[in-house]
C-alpha cells in the first residue's frame, strides 16, 4: 500500500505554501543595501579622522565582521536573517556568520575539536575552492598575457 507520485506531489504542494517572491526580493534588497549603506556611512565618518585610504578600507569591513559576529553570538543575526533572506548574505556579513555559527554550535566539544575544528566547516570549502580557483585563473591569465 503506497502513495502514487502524483498523490504525493499534491500532498506536498498542499502542505508547502508558496513563498512571496517579490516581498522576499524587496526585503533582501533593503537589508543588503542597508548593510552596504552602513559600511559607506562608517567609511565616510572615519574619513574625517585623517586616516590613510588603506586604513579606511579596512575599518568598515572589520566593523561589519565584528558586529555580525556579536549578533550571531547573541542569537540576533538569525532572527534578522529570517526576514532579510539573501540580503544577509552580503559577502562579508554572510561569511562572518558562516564562521561564527558553527564555532558556537560545536563549542561544547571543546576549543580544539569543537570550536576550532568546526569554525570553517561551512566557510572552509569556500576558502579552499576560492583560493584554488584564483590560482588556476592567475596561471591561465599569466599564460595568456605572456
Amino acid at each position: 500500500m503506497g502513495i502514487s507520485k502524483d498523490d504525493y506531489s499534491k500532498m506536498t504542494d498542499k502542505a508547502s505554501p508558496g513563498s512571496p517572491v517579490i516581498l522576499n526580493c524587496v526585503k533582501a534588497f533593503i537589508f543588503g543595501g542597508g548593510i552596504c549603506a552602513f559600511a559607506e556611512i562608517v567609511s565616510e565618518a572615519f574619513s574625517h579622522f585623517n586616516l590613510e585610504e588603506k586604513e579606511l578600507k579596512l575599518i568598515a569591513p572589520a566593523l561589519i565582521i565584528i558586529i555580525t559576529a556579536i549578533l550571531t553570538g547573541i542569537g540576533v543575526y538569525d532572527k534578522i536573517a529570517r526576514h532579510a533572506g539573501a540580503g544577509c548574505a552580503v559577502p562579508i556579513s554572510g561569511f562572518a556568520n558562516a564562521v561564527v555559527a558553527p564555532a558556537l554550535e560545536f563549542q561544547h566539544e571543546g576549543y580544539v575539536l569543537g570550536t576550532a575544528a568546526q569554525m570553517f566547516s561551512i566557510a572552509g570549502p569556500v576558502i579552499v575552492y576560492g583560493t584554488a580557483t584564483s590560482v588556476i585563473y592567475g596561471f591561465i591569465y599569466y599564460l595568456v598575457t605572456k
Side-chain angles (χ1 to χ4, degrees):
M1 183 165 147
I3 299 174
S4 71
K5 289 184 180 182
D6 290 336
D7 290 340
Y8 183 77
S9 179
K10 289 176 186 175
M11 288 172 45
T12 56
D13 289 343
K14 186 178 179 182
S16 305
S19 61
V21 176
I22 301 295
L23 179 62
N24 289 346
C25 288
V26 169
K27 285 181 179 180
F29 180 78
I30 290 170
F31 279 93
I35 292 170
C36 294
F38 174 73
E40 284 298 318
I41 291 167
V42 167
S43 293
E44 186 61 32
F46 277 94
S47 70
H48 298 294
F49 292 110
N50 296 326
L51 299 172
E52 293 181 24
E53 185 177 343
K54 187 177 180 181
E55 295 167 329
L56 283 173
K57 289 181 179 180
L58 297 174
I59 290 174
L63 191 59
I64 290 173
I65 289 169
I66 291 167
I67 291 170
T68 301
I70 291 169
L71 292 176
T72 299
I74 61 176
V76 173
Y77 193 84
D78 291 337
K79 292 176 185 175
I80 294 170
R82 280 190 207 116
H83 297 286
C88 278
V90 172
I92 200 147
S93 61
F95 187 77
N97 180 55
V99 171
V100 174
L104 291 173
E105 184 178 343
F106 291 96
Q107 69 182 355
H108 66 279
E109 294 181 17
Y111 289 118
V112 175
L113 296 177
T115 301
Q118 297 298 325
M119 188 180 304
F120 294 106
S121 62
I122 295 173
V126 175
I127 295 169
V128 170
Y129 289 117
T131 303
T133 303
S134 66
V135 168
I136 292 168
Y137 175 77
F139 182 69
I140 293 170
Y141 181 78
Y142 173 77
L143 292 176
V144 170
T145 59
K146 186 170 179 171

